[in-house]
């Protein structure tokens, strides 16, 4: 059952697709108080209760024992002491004697203290005095997730080819660099469907432009790559470069489409191209305008995009930069002691994504000026919605690949997400694994992490182990940052090991695609915590390194360096399957703890007793996959 409680006059977020009658907030059967412009909810937890949710967020599947903030943040250091990542997925599921789901449809900052201050209490503080709260009750966590998902509408389904393997890097600077990647993969006989174009494909980082020197005859080039079965996926950033003569900027400025400051001027901030205007995506007319701009690229044959920097990321504002420069000038020639030196350093470090800047931005919603802080978490979601709505109107469903860095619940209907700028750290294999079920609960099905890790240098074994998890994530993309070690599979010694792993993905695509479609159409989760399926089993309840996949499988990636395998807990009898290229090894295992071995070129998988899954033959492109001759394993 879902009940909606409304406090004040909430901002319309379009997160839900069903208009439920509102109950008075005073009748909310959860302890709450409204004071000093914020709302606090609080409930008790028993020692064994589990708290799920928050989608893309740091730490565990069980969110207990930490404080989180829903505040879309451009922060590339995903350490366990962080409180926010790029998304704001404001759904929590408390599972104890009874199960309760809570969706706070509220786009400003929310603090979730889940047993951090008091071990047996969750205290949720929404920074504002108007919100919709949906309270969902049901017999089990999965029943609550289904109810919740039916409230927020069907999840985005990408084109079939988006289940192929994808290679990215910041940046393949020109056509020759892209060609070299495709050739590298083809020569090593490693399957590949997409190559990404990061910011350097543009003319000086201007959205919807092409650097003509790097990519002469872009449309012809895109079409030649399509003939090779390769989709090129360009990035689009939120900020529009301020430049006279640049049509997108001039139109945005002249029509008043950019976010404003309190005095009505365009808010300007610095991102990759220098000073930019930020389209006011919260306005329908601006969404229509920006969305239709993607046509510049779809007209040239592009059929996939990733939307970035849409928290929005702001490196600096001119005002903030001036203050910092003035401070530095004032200290010139001084003997800088601890206070002065670190004070100065903090001023410069605080320039990016500063609260002062966010607080000085205004949106126009229904003719009224609304401060950015009140709608911060909607910004990236609305950018992606702009694109998604244009694509659906123009091309129909399931035609265009689209995923975003920032998101809010509701955006799951028009796009997927990726988990942003992770690191080439072993711990980030598990961070990705833990976010998968949490994101699924909130409707985000098409998702994945930068495989191999984005920041810093990856080792060969890390990339292989990361890929062996990525075999199962709907978005299977290897991406790495400027200046890091080359991370394409064919760059490492013995590329055939990478072929073995990626071929497994292609063999599994018919199965994974079916699980994905069903999850979207029936409000299911692709990935579930073991505790969802085996609630009475203590080891399953506490398991944070394995996931259930569909109705048939369990996955348990190897996540430590120099490990030839790992310990796995089987909550029931299962077949342990090792997949490598076209090789399949099976071994029945009984319920319980087992040490299982998996070489670097092997993908471990567990199939429940009595279940089977299909494998097709691998191919170099998804378009060549044949689903008429399937091998069933189990
Ligand atoms: C951001 C993105 C990253 C991209 C980079 C350059 O850091 O998260 O994926 O490569 O910008 O565009």
């Amino acid at each position: 059952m879902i009940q909606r409680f409304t406090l004040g006059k909430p901002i319309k977020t379009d997160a839900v697709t069903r208009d439920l009658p509102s109950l008075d907030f005073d009748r909310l059967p959860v302890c709450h108080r409204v004071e000093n412009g914020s709302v606090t909810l609080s409930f008790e937890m028993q020692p064994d209760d589990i708290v799920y949710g928050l989608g893309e967020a740091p730490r565990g599947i069980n969110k207990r024992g930490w404080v989180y903030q829903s505040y879309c943040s451009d922060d590339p250091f995903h350490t366990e002491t962080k409180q926010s990542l790029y998304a704001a997925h404001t759904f929590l599921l408390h599972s104890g004697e009874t199960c309760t789901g809570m969706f706070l449809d509220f786009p400003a900052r929310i603090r979730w203290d889940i047993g951090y201050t008091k071990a047996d209490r969750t205290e949720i503080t929404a920074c504002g005095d108007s919100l919709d709260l949906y309270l969902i009750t049901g017999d089990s966590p999965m029943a609550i997730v289904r109810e919740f998902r039916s409230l927020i509408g069907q999840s985005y389904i990408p084109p079939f080819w988006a289940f192929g393997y994808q290679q990215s890097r910041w940046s393949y600077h020109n056509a020759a660099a892209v060609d070299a990647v495709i050739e590298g993969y083809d020569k090593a006989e490693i399957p590949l469907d997409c190559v990404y174009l990061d910011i350097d494909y543009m003319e000086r980082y201007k959205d919807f432009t092409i650097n003509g020197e790097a990519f002469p005859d872009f449309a012809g080039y895109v079409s030649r790559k399509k003939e090779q079965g390769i989709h090129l996926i360009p990035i689009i950033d939120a900020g529009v470069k301020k430049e006279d003569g640049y049509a997108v900027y001039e139109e945005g400025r002249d029509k008043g489409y950019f976010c404003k400051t309190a005095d009505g001027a365009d808010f300007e901030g610095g991102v990759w191209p220098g000073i930019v205007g930020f389209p006011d995506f919260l306005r329908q007319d601006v969404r229509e305008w920006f969305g239709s701009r993607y046509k510049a690229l779809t007209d040239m044959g592009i059929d996939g995009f990733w939307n970035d920097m849409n928290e929005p990321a702001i490196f600096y504002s001119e005002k903030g930069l001036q203050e910092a420069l003035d401070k530095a000038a004032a200290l010139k020639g001084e003997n800088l002691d601890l206070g002065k030196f670190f004070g100065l350093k903090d001023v410069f470090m605080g320039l990016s994504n500063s609260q002062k800047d966010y607080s000085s931005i205004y949106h126009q919603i229904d003719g009224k000026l609304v401060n950015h802080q009140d709608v911060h978490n909607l910004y990236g979601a609305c950018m992606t919605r702009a694109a998604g709505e244009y694509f659906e109107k123009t091309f129909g469903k399931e035609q265009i690949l689209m995923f975003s860095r920032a998101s809010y619940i509701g955006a799951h209907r028009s796009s997927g997400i990726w988990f942003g700028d992770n690191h080439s750290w072993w711990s980030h294999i598990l961070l990705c694994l833990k976010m998968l079920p949490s994101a699924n609960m909130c409707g985000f099905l098409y998702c994945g992490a930068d495989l191999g890790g984005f920041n810093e240098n990856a080792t060969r074994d890390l990339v292989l182990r990361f890929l062996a998890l990525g075999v199962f994530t709907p978005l299977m993309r290897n991406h790495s940052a400027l200046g890091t070690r080359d991370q394409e599979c064919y760059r490492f010694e013995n590329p055939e090991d990478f072929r073995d792993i990626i071929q497994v993905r292609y063999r599994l695509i018919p199965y994974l695609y079916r699980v994905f479609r069903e999850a979207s159409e029936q409000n299911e989760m692709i990935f579930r915590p073991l505790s969802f399926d085996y609630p009475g089993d203590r080891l399953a309840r506490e398991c944070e390194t394995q996931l259930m996949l569909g109705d048939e499988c369990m996955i348990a990636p190897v996540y430590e360096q120099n490990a030839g395998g790992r310990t796995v807990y089987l909550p029931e009898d299962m077949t342990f399957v090792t997949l490598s290229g076209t090789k399949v090894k099976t071994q029945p295992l009984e319920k319980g703890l087992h040490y299982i071995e998996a070489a670097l070129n092997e993908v471990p998988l567990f199939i429940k007793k009595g279940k089977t899954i299909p494998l097709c033959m691998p191919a170099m492109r998804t378009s060549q996959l044949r689903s008429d001759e399937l091998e069933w394993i189990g």
Side-chain angles (χ1 to χ4, degrees):
M1 186 178 66
I2 311 181
Q3 287 177 303
R4 171 187 179 189
F5 299 87
T6 303
L7 179 69
K9 285 209 170 69
I11 283 166
K12 209 167 161 291
T13 66
D14 290 333
V16 307
T17 49
R18 279 202 276 147
D19 192 20
L20 301 183
S22 283
L23 300 170
D24 197 80
F25 208 76
D26 287 340
R27 291 175 54 197
L28 180 71
V30 176
C31 179
H32 62 278
R33 50 178 203 275
V34 181
E35 60 186 14
N36 304 330
S38 68
V39 186
T40 302
L41 312 164
S42 125
F43 59 86
E44 208 183 316
M45 297 180 291
Q46 298 305 317
D48 284 345
D49 294 359
I50 302 181
V51 180
Y52 303 101
L54 299 185
E56 183 189 310
R59 294 173 92 99
I61 297 174
N62 185 349
K63 307 308 284 184
R64 273 186 88 150
W66 189 239
V67 61
Y68 305 85
Q69 300 212 35
S70 294
Y71 192 84
C72 297
S73 301
D74 163 34
D75 180 345
F77 292 96
H78 309 170
T79 52
E80 64 183 68
T81 46
K82 288 297 161 75
Q83 300 185 346
S84 319
L85 295 176
Y86 305 87
H89 300 156
T90 56
F91 169 72
L92 204 71
L93 203 172
H94 174 242
S95 160
E97 206 120 284
T98 56
C99 292
T100 312
M102 267 181 219
F103 172 45
L104 270 68
D105 192 5
F106 176 75
R109 187 187 292 273
I110 306 177
R111 189 171 183 276
W112 312 79
D113 180 338
I114 308 176
Y116 172 72
T117 306
K118 290 190 188 139
D120 63 352
R121 283 208 89 71
T122 287
E123 205 160 89
I124 306 167
T125 308
C127 302
D129 51 15
S130 289
L131 58 83
D132 272 313
L133 189 149
Y134 295 86
L135 201 65
I136 309 166
T137 47
D139 292 344
S140 64
M142 197 55 230
I144 289 182
V145 169
R146 275 190 213 109
E147 279 272 16
F148 174 54
R149 296 265 304 282
S150 76
L151 175 72
I152 58 174
Q154 192 186 337
S155 300
Y156 165 79
I157 303 181
F160 181 76
W161 52 260
F163 288 82
Y165 175 71
Q166 316 186 8
Q167 182 61 55
S168 184
R169 178 167 187 84
W170 173 16
S171 281
Y172 300 125
H173 278 87
N174 52 33
V178 173
D179 289 341
V181 172
I182 301 168
E183 197 186 320
Y185 274 92
D186 283 353
K187 272 201 177 142
E189 294 177 41
I190 303 174
L192 176 74
D193 267 77
C194 302
V195 179
Y196 279 69
L197 302 179
D198 208 322
I199 46 176
D200 299 284
Y201 80 89
M202 299 183 224
E203 187 197 304
R204 285 173 294 116
Y205 313 127
K206 291 187 289 186
D207 278 342
F208 313 116
T209 66
I210 304 291
N211 174 343
E213 256 172 56
F215 293 94
D217 178 25
F218 189 67
Y221 184 67
V222 173
S223 128
R224 288 196 295 284
K225 294 305 110 182
K226 278 252 178 80
E227 278 161 29
Q228 284 179 268
I230 297 293
H231 299 260
L232 299 180
I233 317 293
I235 196 168
I236 301 291
D237 287 326
V240 171
K241 181 176 170 66
K242 180 180 180 183
E243 185 178 277
D244 287 336
Y246 168 37
V248 184
Y249 174 72
E250 287 192 337
E251 201 181 344
R253 179 196 58 199
D254 296 347
K255 296 203 165 148
Y257 284 163
F258 294 126
C259 294
K260 305 286 179 218
T261 57
D263 58 13
D266 286 352
F267 173 84
E268 294 177 346
V271 202
W272 308 121
I275 293 298
V276 301
F278 292 94
D280 189 352
F281 295 118
L282 281 96
R283 286 168 50 182
Q284 176 69 28
D285 54 345
V286 176
R287 285 202 293 275
E288 279 168 23
W289 165 69
F290 196 82
S292 65
R293 284 287 168 173
Y294 285 76
K295 184 173 189 300
L297 291 157
T298 54
D299 277 354
M300 292 193 268
I302 291 295
D303 49 10
F305 297 91
W306 45 316
N307 278 350
D308 192 23
M309 309 301 273
N310 51 2
E311 294 71 32
I314 305 173
F315 295 163
Y316 64 91
S317 65
E318 297 221 81
K319 197 160 164 244
L321 183 61
Q322 196 52 55
E323 281 169 14
L325 293 171
D326 288 349
K327 176 132 195 183
L331 290 173
K332 193 166 175 208
E334 279 208 37
N335 179 358
L336 300 185
D337 61 8
L338 187 153
K340 281 184 185 156
F341 174 73
F342 286 100
L344 180 63
K345 189 174 167 210
D346 286 349
V347 172
F348 278 90
M349 297 297 282
L351 275 179
S352 296
N353 306 320
S354 97
Q355 288 301 307
K356 227 169 149 185
D357 286 340
Y358 286 135
S359 298
S360 70
I361 302 175
Y362 287 84
H363 300 269
Q364 287 171 58
I365 303 177
D366 300 331
K368 275 192 248 109
L369 277 190
V370 174
N371 186 267
H372 176 76
Q373 296 285 20
D374 293 333
V375 289
H376 174 79
N377 291 333
L378 282 179
Y379 190 77
C382 286
M383 174 193 183
T384 297
R385 188 174 155 195
E389 284 172 356
Y390 170 73
F391 298 147
E392 200 170 321
K393 190 176 73 196
T394 314
F395 304 100
K397 284 183 185 287
E398 300 178 31
Q399 299 306 308
I400 306 287
L401 169 60
M402 167 90 254
F403 60 92
S404 171
R405 196 169 73 174
S407 60
Y408 182 79
I409 290 170
H412 69 286
R413 297 192 297 271
S414 36
S415 84
I417 48 172
W418 94 100
F419 300 147
D421 297 349
N422 63 0
H423 274 71
S424 295
W425 291 340
W426 287 87
S427 61
H428 278 185
I429 296 182
L430 280 189
L431 181 62
C432 169
L433 178 131
K434 291 172 191 185
M435 285 197 276
L436 292 167
S438 309
N440 280 191
M441 286 176 210
C442 300
F444 291 94
L445 299 182
Y446 190 78
C447 47
D450 286 348
L451 301 173
F454 175 75
N455 291 296
E456 314 250 30
N457 295 331
T459 58
R460 177 179 183 274
D461 52 355
L462 174 74
V463 180
L464 281 161
R465 293 303 198 196
F466 229 133
L467 287 171
L469 169 62
V471 157
F472 301 104
T473 61
L475 167 65
M476 188 189 188
R477 183 179 79 143
N478 174 340
H479 180 46
S480 57
L482 188 71
T484 58
R485 177 185 190 180
D486 292 326
Q487 206 167 283
E488 296 79 17
C489 298
Y490 60 87
R491 307 264 195 179
F492 295 98
E493 58 184 337
N494 301 336
E496 58 276 12
D497 286 349
F498 291 83
R499 181 199 311 143
D500 286 342
I501 299 285
I502 294 172
Q503 280 189 339
V504 171
R505 163 64 165 221
Y506 280 67
R507 299 204 72 191
L508 281 164
I509 285 178
Y511 171 67
L512 295 174
Y513 186 72
R514 194 199 81 205
V515 174
F516 186 97
R517 266 207 101 82
E518 284 175 5
S520 167
E521 285 163 1
Q522 297 162 25
N523 297 323
E524 291 292 337
M525 290 162 65
I526 301 168
F527 301 104
R528 292 178 308 285
L530 269 56
S531 50
F532 269 43
D533 291 27
Y534 307 94
D537 179 330
R538 180 157 204 119
L539 290 187
R541 281 175 70 79
E542 292 181 4
C543 183
E544 293 260 353
T545 64
Q546 305 168 206
L547 295 175
M548 302 310 295
L549 162 65
D551 279 341
E552 295 80 9
C553 301
M554 183 178 82
I555 59 169
V558 179
Y559 54 87
E560 277 174 323
Q561 188 159 32
N562 302 318
R566 56 165 289 171
T567 303
V568 174
Y569 176 62
L570 268 55
E572 60 174 292
D573 294 355
M574 292 185 182
T575 304
F576 168 41
V577 183
T578 322
L579 300 161
S580 180
T582 52
K583 290 196 207 79
V584 182
K585 282 190 291 194
T586 56
Q587 182 192 353
L589 291 180
E590 284 179 4
K591 171 180 157 82
L593 283 165
H594 297 269
Y595 182 84
I596 57 107
E597 288 181 19
L600 286 174
N601 68 338
E602 291 177 334
V603 180
L605 176 66
F606 300 83
I607 303 183
K608 292 200 280 191
K609 201 171 174 180
K611 302 276 186 187
T612 54
I613 65 161
L615 295 175
C616 62
M617 283 311 286
M620 285 299 286
R621 308 277 184 260
T622 49
S623 55
Q624 297 157 358
L625 287 176
R626 295 185 43 183
S627 53
D628 48 356
E629 279 171 36
L630 298 175
E631 176 186 349
W632 290 83
I633 57 164

